[in-house]
Amino acid sequence: MTVNTFDPNAPSSCATTTLGQMLEEQPAAPTQAAPGAARIGFVSLGCPKNLVDSERILTQLRTEGYEVVNRYDNAELVIVNTCGFIDSAVQESLEAIGEALAENGKVIVTGCLGAKEDQIRAVHPKVLEISGPHAYEQVLDHVHRYVPKPQHNPFVSLVPAQGVKLTPRHYAYLKISEGCDHRCTFCIIPSLRGDLVSRPIGEVLAEAKRLKEAGVKELLVISQDTSAYGADLKHRTGFYDGQPVRTHLTALCQELAKLDIWVRLHYVYPYPHVDDLIPLMAEGKVLPYLDLPLQHASPRILKLMKRPGSVERTLERIRRWREICPEITLRSTFIVGFPGETEEDFQMLLDFLEQAELDRVGCFPYSPVEGAKANELSDSVPEEVKLARFDRFMATQQAISTRKLARKVGQTLWVMVDEVDEEGAIARTAGDAPEIDGVVYLNGVISVQPGDRLRVKVEHADEYDLWATPI
């Protein structure tokens, strides 16, 4: 990490943390695994939702007395939790499986790509067992088949109350549901993870409380469709701490606010009831941050994608949100080069970016996914056109981001520290999610710890990041 000087020509970068590094950096559990415990290697790929699945499997492994290691050569078995959403993720997963087989030889595969067993076995026939996403019990059954459970020691506590986490100690992902009821034509998540299944609200809140008690300072609420939480249960009333609580995103946020830690919402479809969250943000009860997966702005392309929402209505709601909560940060992702996308459709997307002035934006050139309905659409966009549109999109958004961040120079903001070394600290504002958004460089600030919250004054900004000094 280099933060001592600002170089306007240096490329912006963000750290990528391997699973091995994460295991090494974990705060020590109350006790270590029992001597001679069976050793299991683990590789976790994919999105934060997949990371939560990995944490659940690892927690159960540790509960049963297995030792989780970050090397192939001293593991008795390796588990690879795969991603299979787009072609590049499939390729990465297949390569990870091949590496584990070459280095260890005994490999169990789970996760999204596991739903396509034939595809895996066509490339790696020596894989021992394969299971799909969130198949926790099946993964453990497979482990037991090849590496029997260690002898249980009732006097040794193997797992902290919050379970095994793969994130730094000061933040954690809180998954509130599985699956999705949407049928977007570019997506195969419902076929991999099924329809929406919301977790009981009492169970979610109890996990959040345990995480706070373990030192977590920020909860990142995730699911496939966060704003649909509880819809499958008809938003029935559940119970937490002896009190009735409605199974609904607004009620969940009101309860999480009582923990007095940062609460950040991801993957929120802009349904009308999302409007009810904005006053909570204005009041400081949850972070003024919304991750909205909008995908496009051409009505014709949105229809081909089978995406909900009207572009004009979305722009009007964004305007109202900013009136209620001026400091709100809006993040979204978009696809360019979707089948049938014309230059006119793409220009609508660029016009939307200029009008919406979103704070953080990701973009992906369309890539066909095996099993997706979009594969049946005609008028595919040539690769060179996709890439050219991607470059134009990113240049447009970069200018918007540069303009918006420049307005922060001279402002005072709260930040949370993520990293510290001899050169200084790297932190994030309330408008920056870990790993995907920008950072705040605090040059020379070393007498702080990850998870500390500081008040800082912004001294400089570039396209994505800020430089600041503590007040």
Side-chain angles (χ1 to χ4, degrees), residues 336 342-350 389 392-393:
V336 296
T342 64
E343 180 62 26
E344 182 182 4
D345 295 318
F346 179 67
Q347 188 59 51
M348 288 182 185
L349 178 54
L350 296 184
R389 288 177 181 172
R392 290 165 60 194
F393 179 102

Side-chain angles (χ1 to χ4, degrees), residues 270-419:
Y271 299 143
H273 69 263
V274 173
D275 293 350
D276 298 333
L277 299 174
I278 310 305
L280 299 181
M281 297 178 179
E283 295 165 12
K285 293 183 177 180
V286 297
L287 291 180
Y289 180 100
L290 276 181
D291 180 358
L292 306 162
L294 298 176
Q295 307 301 354
H296 214 281
S298 161
R300 191 178 69 84
I301 296 300
L302 287 170
K303 185 175 181 179
L304 290 173
M305 290 178 168
K306 290 194 174 178
R307 295 288 297 177
S310 159
V311 175
E312 291 75 16
R313 192 177 304 129
T314 298
L315 286 170
E316 173 58 23
R317 295 177 71 207
I318 288 174
R319 185 190 64 78
R320 292 202 313 270
W321 293 347
R322 286 174 171 152
E323 287 179 353
I324 298 169
C325 184
E327 66 272 27
I328 191 170
T329 294
L330 299 177
R331 148 170 276 281
S332 190
T333 52
F334 296 88
I335 298 172
V336 296
F338 190 78
E341 183 190 64
T342 64
E343 180 62 26
E344 182 182 4
D345 295 318
F346 179 67
Q347 188 59 51
M348 288 182 185
L349 178 54
L350 296 184
D351 292 343
F352 175 83
L353 288 181
E354 294 287 0
Q355 294 176 70
E357 279 202 316
L358 302 176
D359 301 88
R360 303 295 189 185
V361 170
C363 180
F364 302 92
Y366 172 75
S367 173
V369 179
E370 183 181 352
K373 288 291 185 180
N375 297 343
E376 301 171 9
L377 297 174
S378 57
D379 299 326
S380 61
V381 178
E383 287 299 317
E384 61 272 17
V385 175
K386 291 181 191 176
L387 295 177
R389 288 177 181 172
F390 171 82
D391 289 340
R392 290 165 60 194
F393 179 102
M394 294 307 297
T396 299
Q397 180 56 35
Q398 187 179 74
I400 295 169
S401 179
T402 300
R403 187 166 67 240
K404 297 204 73 173
L405 288 180
R407 298 171 192 163
K408 296 184 183 295
V409 174
Q411 293 184 10
T412 57
L413 305 171
W414 282 103
V415 299
M416 181 175 290
V417 176
D418 277 341
E419 302 175 41

Side-chain angles (χ1 to χ4, degrees), residues 174 176 204-205 207-209 219 221 249-265 285-286:
L174 181 68
I176 62 174
V204 172
L205 291 170
E207 180 180 347
K209 182 180 179 182
L219 288 174
V221 178
L249 182 60
T250 305
L252 174 64
C253 288
Q254 289 170 333
E255 291 299 317
L256 291 175
K258 297 176 183 178
L259 295 175
D260 193 29
I261 59 177
W262 280 11
V263 176
R264 188 182 303 278
L265 302 177
K285 293 183 177 180
V286 297

